[in-house]
Amino acid sequence: MRKKIVAGNWKMNLNKSDAHILYKNLESKSYPNDVEVIIAPASIYLDSFSNASKVSISSQDVSANDNGAFTGEFSAEMLSSMNLRFAIVGHSERRTFHKESDLLIFQKVKMLLKHGITPIFCCGESLSDRESKNHFNIVKSQLSQILTMLSKKEFSKVVVAYEPVWAIGTGLTADPQDAQDMHSFIRGLISEAFGSEASELTSILYGGSCKPSNSRELFSMKDIDGGLIGGASLDSESFESIVNSF
Ligand code: PEP
């Protein structure tokens, strides 16, 4: 049975006091035992949430380099020294605003795996890719390095998040069947690369304007194993309701 996961990506939101209030609210709730609940606060707050018990803590990013002269960055080794178990990589905002390439994202994945941290690897097409019916090719090429250059053992630690860029923060959600089609396509690619058992064990999350009103339908799809939640993760009631929609 693959793991169900709901991860909240707080992005660059919340001052210290508001971040702590949200964290405390989330820690006071109860969640189904079989769902891994993750929050990804801004990196400067990560260490102050290290005592979390109900939720796991994720970074929103990581450097592709080992420790050294990289001003402003933080390494996988640093995350591991804070006992973090997850890090998001390849988010479309990093790909767009920081021009992150598939190769750089792959290097980040390698670095996380080297330090025992689970990468939440994001992929997803733009609106023009979808309109030109190129979305499957785009997602395939974004996944190509992790599917061809990781070992099966390394890949078994990876969580995939399919996030159509046109749905992120826009209020537009992928039609559940369209999302399912892409998740099934991704699972097929994993099966080709590592075999059907590995593909059946990989959690594939959906992200893009997921909210309490649509999470139940999305999560009921056969190949959707949870969500990566942006805006709705900043409200504890909405986030709890998404987690409980499984
Ligand atoms: C995200 O940024 O990962 C995301 C899914 O955002 P939102 O839920 O706000 O669309």
Side-chain angles (χ1 to χ4, degrees):
M1 254 263 286
R2 51 184 180 260
K3 201 184 262 182
K4 297 173 189 165
I5 300 172
V6 178
N9 175 11
W10 292 3
K11 311 193 187 190
M12 196 174 74
N13 288 299
L14 307 172
N15 63 27
K16 186 176 172 185
S17 133
D18 290 340
H20 274 266
I21 292 169
L22 178 55
Y23 165 73
K24 284 225 155 72
N25 279 339
L26 292 171
E27 275 280 288
S28 71
K29 303 206 180 281
S30 34
Y31 306 106
N33 285 336
D34 60 343
V35 182
E36 173 100 48
V37 182
I38 302 173
I39 55 169
S43 52
I44 54 168
Y45 303 145
L46 286 173
D47 204 27
S48 53
F49 300 144
S50 58
N51 289 331
S53 58
K54 300 267 187 75
V55 299
S56 299
I57 308 297
S58 170
S59 170
Q60 297 177 13
D61 190 32
V62 70
S63 172
N65 298 292
D66 274 319
N67 291 351
F70 299 98
T71 303
E73 295 204 35
F74 55 92
S75 68
E77 201 239 308
M78 293 172 187
L79 296 177
S80 153
S81 71
M82 297 190 299
N83 296 320
L84 252 76
R85 291 169 45 225
F86 298 94
I88 298 168
V89 282
H91 191 280
S92 70
E93 286 149 19
R94 301 287 318 171
R95 291 177 186 266
T96 305
F97 303 134
H98 300 271
K99 307 275 174 282
E100 291 196 0
S101 65
D102 290 330
L103 178 60
L104 181 83
I105 296 161
F106 170 72
Q107 289 164 343
K108 292 183 176 196
V109 167
K110 280 292 271 189
M111 202 53 89
L112 290 169
L113 293 171
K114 179 174 153 192
H115 290 281
I117 299 169
T118 294
I120 302 176
F121 176 93
C122 303
C123 56
E125 81 284 359
S126 67
L127 185 57
S128 60
D129 295 329
R130 182 157 279 266
E131 284 174 345
S132 58
K133 306 209 181 320
N134 205 23
H135 44 297
F136 290 114
N137 286 336
I138 293 293
V139 169
K140 183 175 181 181
S141 75
Q142 290 171 337
L143 284 161
S144 131
Q145 262 136 349
I146 63 164
L147 293 181
T148 56
M149 288 158 74
L150 291 182
S151 68
K152 185 173 174 177
K153 188 166 174 226
E154 286 174 316
F155 186 81
S156 70
K157 307 279 187 315
V158 174
V159 170
V160 176
Y162 167 60
E163 300 206 299
V165 179
W166 48 270
I168 296 180
T170 58
L172 299 172
T173 316
D175 175 79
Q177 188 55 54
D178 288 343
Q180 161 60 27
D181 291 347
M182 182 59 87
H183 281 234
S184 159
F185 174 72
I186 293 171
R187 205 173 298 289
L189 295 175
I190 298 169
S191 177
E192 275 168 31
F194 299 115
S196 64
E197 197 188 337
S199 83
E200 284 306 320
L201 288 172
T202 305
S203 297
I204 308 177
L205 316 183
Y206 168 81
S209 297
C210 187
K211 41 191 181 258
S213 58
N214 58 28
S215 54
R216 189 175 293 271
E217 200 182 350
L218 283 160
F219 295 174
S220 70
M221 293 289 154
K222 180 173 162 286
D223 289 295
I224 300 184
D225 306 309
L228 181 52
I229 319 296
S233 72
L234 297 173
D235 177 79
S236 59
E237 305 295 313
S238 298
F239 190 63
E240 180 193 20
S241 153
I242 292 171
V243 174
N244 285 310
S245 63
F246 264 114

